[in-house]
Amino acid sequence: SAPTGRAGTLGTRRVRAMWPRVDGMRAFGLATPGPFRDELTALVLAGTKQATAGLLAVDYEPDDEEIDRVGERQVLLDSADLPVAVLEVTRVEVHPFDQVPFEFAAAEGEGFTSVEDWQTGHRAFYAELGHEVRADEPVVCAWFQVIERLDPT
């Protein structure tokens, strides 16, 4: 999924000028604000969604953002861009889009049944953002765990 802060299909980070910061930590929302982000955020808070994807060329490079680092703490934002959780990155891999492993697709917790299913969903998400995903395009695959739930009010 593409996080906002990243852009992505099912939970990649959003497309925006530089990722926001909360208490010095990078912050992001999944997908784009609205029902889909709310659904993905709920999956994270439930522990079902433990990974997210971002296209290097869309979600990182335009804003000179580094890829996620193991041990880095980041803040998850809701549809109102309010902090709802602190996440810790536990694993990071970069794969060509057509070589993202099913292990990662499953960790996204969105019910993907195959790598092809994951690819279809992510291609559709990025197409809505006006980006056609290439087979060899680098995808940042980041696994995370919820360290702390925050009260967004």
Side-chain angles (χ1 to χ4, degrees), residues 11 16 23 33 44 50 65 69 74 77 89 91-92 102 106-107 113 119 125-126 131-132 136 150:
R16 62 195 290 172
D23 294 334
V44 170
Q50 299 176 357
E65 287 288 348
R69 296 179 319 277
Q74 300 177 352
L77 305 173
V89 177
R91 181 174 165 190
V92 179
F102 182 71
T113 57
Q119 290 171 348
F125 177 84
Y126 282 102
H131 182 81
E132 184 177 335
D136 64 346
L150 305 172

Side-chain angles (χ1 to χ4, degrees), residues 17 39-40 57 59 64 80 98 119 122-123 126 147-148 150:
E39 176 186 334
L40 295 173
D59 302 313
D64 270 344
D98 67 350
Q119 290 171 348
H122 283 73
R123 281 185 195 280
Y126 282 102
I147 297 298
E148 179 183 1
L150 305 172

Side-chain angles (χ1 to χ4, degrees), residues 69-133:
R69 296 179 319 277
V70 171
E72 178 183 7
R73 293 195 173 187
Q74 300 177 352
V75 176
L76 180 64
L77 305 173
D78 66 9
S79 284
D81 282 336
L82 296 173
V84 294
V86 175
L87 310 178
E88 183 173 311
V89 177
T90 58
R91 181 174 165 190
V92 179
E93 297 176 358
V94 178
H95 296 279
F97 184 82
D98 67 350
Q99 293 178 29
V100 169
F102 182 71
E103 173 194 12
F104 175 77
E108 282 207 302
E110 298 169 41
F112 297 114
T113 57
S114 66
V115 170
E116 294 76 20
D117 186 29
W118 179 90
Q119 290 171 348
T120 298
H122 283 73
R123 281 185 195 280
F125 177 84
Y126 282 102
E128 288 178 15
L129 299 175
H131 182 81
E132 184 177 335
V133 180

